Amino acid sequence: MEEERSFSDICGGRLSLQCRYYSPSCREFCLSSPRLSFRSLTAVTCTVWLAAYGLFTLCENSMILSAAIFITLLGLLGYLHFVKIDQETLLIIDSLGIQMTSSYASGKESTTFIEMGKVKDVVINEAIYMKVIYYLCILLKDPVEPLGISEVVPVFQSAKPRLDCLIEVYRSCQEILAHQKDTSTSP
Amino acid sequence: MLLKAFFPTCCSSVDSGLLVGRWVPEQSSAVVLAVLHFPFIPAQVKELLVQVQRASRVDVAVLGTWCHSQQEPEEPLGHFLEGLGTIFPHDPWLQLCRERGSNSWSCKVSCQQAPAALGVPCEDQVMLIFYDQRKVLLSRLHPSAVLPDHQAGDAPASTRGLAAVFDTVARSKELFRSNQFNEGPVRLSHWQSEGVEASILVELAKWASGPVCLLLACLLSLVSAASTCRVFKLWPLSFIGSKLSTCEQLRHRLEHLTFVFSTQKAESPAQLMRKANMLVSVLLDVALGLSLLSWLHRKNRIGQLADALVPVADRAPPVSLQHVAEELQHLLQWLMGAPAGLKMNRALDQVLGRFFLYHIHLWISYIHLMSPFIECILWHVGLSACLGLTVALSILSDIIALLTFHIYCFYVYGARLYCLKIYGLSSLWRLFRGKKWNVLRQRVDSCSYDLDQLFIGTLLFTILLFLLPTTALYYLVFTLLRLLVITVQGLIHLLVELINSLPLYSLGLRLCRPYRLAAGVKFCILKHEAGRPLRLLMQINPLPYTRVVHTYRLPSCGCHPKHSWGSLCRKLFFGELIYPWRQRGDKQD
């Protein structure tokens, strides 16, 4: 079952959330950010090339122009491969674990999988970052202390959705976690 | 809990049979290792399972049945398959089924125990997870805490999380020995059922490595015995040996080679990786050294280098030792005049300047003495590059240290003079204020001085104070020169450290066979139809490059600068001598 809704992030940009319910024990949430806009790309390229042309008229060295082209290309490739995250996915599978995938604009995907045995809970935290923002995070169990928390793993860090979107995801996750706790054989 | 069935992808299209694997009750997961085909004799199957259990310490058992047929199995076959559950009692009993030619799977679980223990078994309660058996067998999980060490053979297989799956597959090599070309009593299907894969070169290398290691280990033990003989423990040689970085580097490399060619087998995969890394590092070192050697000998570059260092005829090349010495002389003449407009104390200035100029004069005569031999020395030193680029770089660093020995001497003289002056000044300043340093109590106490003590003390204080700018300037100039030399040497050492400690084999493995070094797993959901069990594909998430370098770094020489910037500045201000790196075994300051 698939559902697509549209939300906004903390800066006001548009986000689109796709929820897929594969089975009562497996759900996937896919948050897509808007792609790289043509306008910003042309603006940056024009500024860099104008600056390079200005330097060229001062120095009369054509190496500056080729260097500017080179830098623009490398910068764009680096930005697409290492910085621009197009889609963030959260896959939660009952009794297996939680998987977070970030897909970059160049197609690179970076995945982290947390086993269900390590997950203590999924919560929405408040943070103060020039204003109050909310973020969803996964709390991991501490192997030494049974009631303690060893790590807090934030989810959807680059998309930064608002509270309404987070509540949707939170509710679904809590359903699965509750189901998992009910049927879990270990205490 | 949801029941997870881990199924190898290589068995998706084999004929019907029994599922053989391990059941992990803590995770409620069944790890299928192989499929046993009909016809079989139950007694022989049980015998094989007992044999495998004993050899690998993994509880291998028959987990259920696998059916790969044209359509849904008819009733008689269905009953037959269920009946097998009585011959091989296992709880829960899995029944996997796949339609030939399509991708529709079905899975049924039945258990004799009370249903409450596992929840009501129905379609939604089983998950099929496919895994690539060969990749899971060869990979090693790297948990974030500690470098994994293969568990000792006596310990039972782990049951924690996904490490259980990796462990089970890795330990079941015994089960994968028999393939369909063997004339055994049972026919198994697994990743090696098409025949055991091996490379002739690898097998030959394994056969040859035994005697080669023995021979090299003997040679290396001879070399290390020679190097620890009594002659080298006598005072001049041991002192020189501890100061030269070349000896340290050679010792380091000798240790590496002894470890690599030792006749003991590697105890753990971590040790094997370390051996491989060391071997590749040594080979790369030697290769780079040989290429440097060939470059030097082409076009008589050594001759050109020798000419550049020492002028033979009346030419004046841009860089030469004599030129450097002459520049130093000019610098001292400048200091003896009015450097940067500061007014120096003439008498002290002249004394210090003449003292240092005499040293430079000695140095220039020394260079003239050495000039006929430079080319020969350089050629022999160049030969040492075949031991490795690191050795050549260490020799370069030592040569720089030797050639700038006069700068080092000047720095020591200047620093000692300045240090004495500062201590004298601070002590007399205390006297000026009527205080004294109490050595017993390690603090400053007030003290009543006699008049003549005060008079002499104040006089000396004034003299020292007015002579301070001159000494300070000489100290500053020579310290800067010394720091420049230290920076150059430090850069060379950094390069040597890089070559020594970079784990090239691990990086190469991460590049070419990323599944061998696993940081974790990732799941991908396959096409899902309603009413069918959920199917996932488990893939290996490789370790990022930075973690590979961090985990498999080779231990370095240990010659690191031990000062922080703060203590360095403090030492410079008070004129204490700085030793930028301590060799291993030296006591701390």
Side-chain angles (χ1 to χ4, degrees), chain A residues 22 95-96 99 111 113 115 183, chain B residues 1 4 161 521 523 528 541:
Chain A
Y22 292 107
S95 86
L96 200 59
Q99 174 170 289
T111 322
F113 179 74
E115 294 181 41
T183 56
Chain B
M1 226 199 282
K4 303 174 276 264
V521 294
F523 291 93
H528 178 65
N541 205 7

Side-chain angles (χ1 to χ4, degrees), chain B residues 6 33 65 69-70 75 93 102 162 199 224-225 310 381 394 426 450 453 477 520 585:
Chain B
F6 288 87
L33 293 167
T65 57
S69 61
Q70 285 299 114
E75 279 309 307
W93 185 250
S102 82
L162 286 158
S199 149
S224 44
V310 178
V381 159
S394 313
S426 58
D450 297 338
Q453 281 176 330
V477 168

Side-chain angles (χ1 to χ4, degrees), chain B residues 157-443:
Chain B
S158 79
T159 56
R160 275 162 304 143
L162 286 158
V165 178
F166 280 79
D167 218 14
T168 311
V169 179
R171 280 163 178 259
S172 308
K173 290 206 175 81
E174 190 62 40
L175 190 64
F176 301 138
R177 287 245 169 107
S178 64
N179 54 47
Q180 67 185 28
F181 296 109
N182 278 2
E183 300 292 329
V186 291
R187 278 172 50 219
L188 287 170
S189 274
H190 45 76
W191 69 281
Q192 279 197 332
S193 51
E194 296 298 316
V196 176
E197 291 177 356
S199 149
I200 290 184
L201 289 173
V202 170
E203 295 299 316
L204 277 175
K206 280 193 195 155
W207 275 98
S209 67
V212 165
C213 278
L214 202 60
L215 182 68
L216 283 168
C218 291
L219 275 173
L220 287 170
S221 61
L222 275 173
V223 171
S224 44
S227 70
T228 53
C229 79
R230 286 294 195 81
V231 175
F232 292 111
K233 296 247 189 311
L234 297 176
W235 181 75
L237 285 175
S238 69
F239 177 72
I240 294 174
S242 68
K243 288 295 170 206
L244 285 179
S245 60
T246 317
C247 300
E248 187 64 39
Q249 177 64 22
L250 282 171
R251 213 177 303 152
H252 193 65
R253 276 292 183 226
L254 194 66
E255 258 178 44
H256 276 184
L257 284 173
T258 328
F259 183 64
V260 169
F261 291 118
S262 74
T263 43
Q264 291 170 313
K265 266 182 86 70
E267 283 136 32
S268 64
Q271 263 206 354
L272 192 66
M273 287 288 257
R274 192 180 289 184
K275 272 195 181 184
N277 280 326
M278 280 183 189
L279 185 66
V280 173
S281 158
V282 167
L283 285 174
L284 180 77
D285 204 9
V286 170
L288 284 174
L290 286 173
S291 59
L292 179 72
L293 198 64
S294 74
W295 179 81
L296 276 180
H297 282 272
R298 224 182 295 159
K299 299 188 204 171
N300 193 22
R301 286 230 172 79
I302 290 196
Q304 286 177 1
L305 206 64
D307 281 343
L309 281 179
V310 178
V312 174
D314 297 313
R315 296 164 292 151
V319 174
S320 76
L321 293 174
Q322 180 148 348
H323 193 73
V324 169
E326 276 165 17
E327 284 295 315
L328 263 180
Q329 274 181 329
H330 288 158
L331 182 71
L332 281 168
Q333 302 280 8
W334 178 71
L335 280 176
M336 274 163 66
L342 297 167
K343 192 162 185 323
M344 304 269 103
N345 179 293
R346 278 214 64 122
L348 185 62
D349 218 359
Q350 297 284 326
V351 162
L352 287 176
R354 290 235 176 87
F355 178 63
F356 291 131
L357 276 173
Y358 179 62
H359 269 83
I360 295 182
H361 173 76
L362 280 177
W363 183 252
I364 292 182
S365 351
Y366 171 64
I367 293 176
H368 277 295
L369 213 69
M370 280 257 295
S371 48
F373 304 113
I374 287 269
E375 182 162 351
C376 183
I377 291 176
L378 274 178
W379 192 84
H380 283 288
V381 159
L383 268 187
S384 72
C386 31
L387 288 173
L389 186 68
T390 45
V391 177
L393 283 175
S394 313
I395 291 188
L396 181 70
S397 156
D398 287 333
I399 286 179
I400 290 179
L402 283 175
L403 288 179
T404 55
F405 190 64
H406 52 323
I407 295 183
Y408 175 63
C409 285
F410 291 169
Y411 164 70
V412 172
Y413 298 149
R416 285 274 181 244
L417 212 61
Y418 178 76
C419 180
L420 271 172
K421 183 155 281 195
I422 289 285
Y423 274 113
L425 269 177
S426 58
S427 164
L428 290 171
W429 171 246
R430 275 181 235 124
L431 176 135
F432 207 59
R433 293 180 303 151
K435 297 214 190 294
K436 190 176 82 146
W437 174 253
N438 191 338
V439 186
L440 208 59
R441 297 280 185 95
Q442 294 286 312
R443 66 172 186 201

Side-chain angles (χ1 to χ4, degrees), chain A residues 22-26 28 91 93-96 99 109 111-113 115 179-180 183-186, chain B residues 1-2 4 6 25-26 117 124-125 127 129 160-163 521-523 525 528 534 536 541:
Chain A
Y22 292 107
S23 81
S25 54
C26 175
E28 191 177 30
L91 174 68
I93 307 173
D94 188 7
S95 86
L96 200 59
Q99 174 170 289
E109 280 191 9
T111 322
T112 334
F113 179 74
E115 294 181 41
H179 184 248
Q180 192 252 330
T183 56
S184 147
T185 50
S186 52
Chain B
M1 226 199 282
L2 210 58
K4 303 174 276 264
F6 288 87
E26 292 88 355
D124 283 342
Q125 295 284 64
M127 225 167 19
I129 303 176
R160 275 162 304 143
L162 286 158
V521 294
K522 52 188 178 194
F523 291 93
I525 300 198
H528 178 65
L534 187 65
L536 301 163
N541 205 7

Side-chain angles (χ1 to χ4, degrees), chain A residues 4-40:
Chain A
E4 181 156 351
R5 295 170 55 181
S6 150
F7 291 95
S8 64
D9 69 10
I10 54 175
C11 306
R14 292 241 63 90
L15 289 175
S16 119
L17 176 73
Q18 266 184 326
C19 311
R20 291 189 201 111
Y21 297 112
Y22 292 107
S23 81
S25 54
C26 175
R27 297 201 189 154
E28 191 177 30
F29 304 100
C30 191
L31 208 57
S32 322
S33 319
R35 297 191 177 263
L36 182 65
S37 77
F38 190 65
R39 202 184 304 172
S40 60

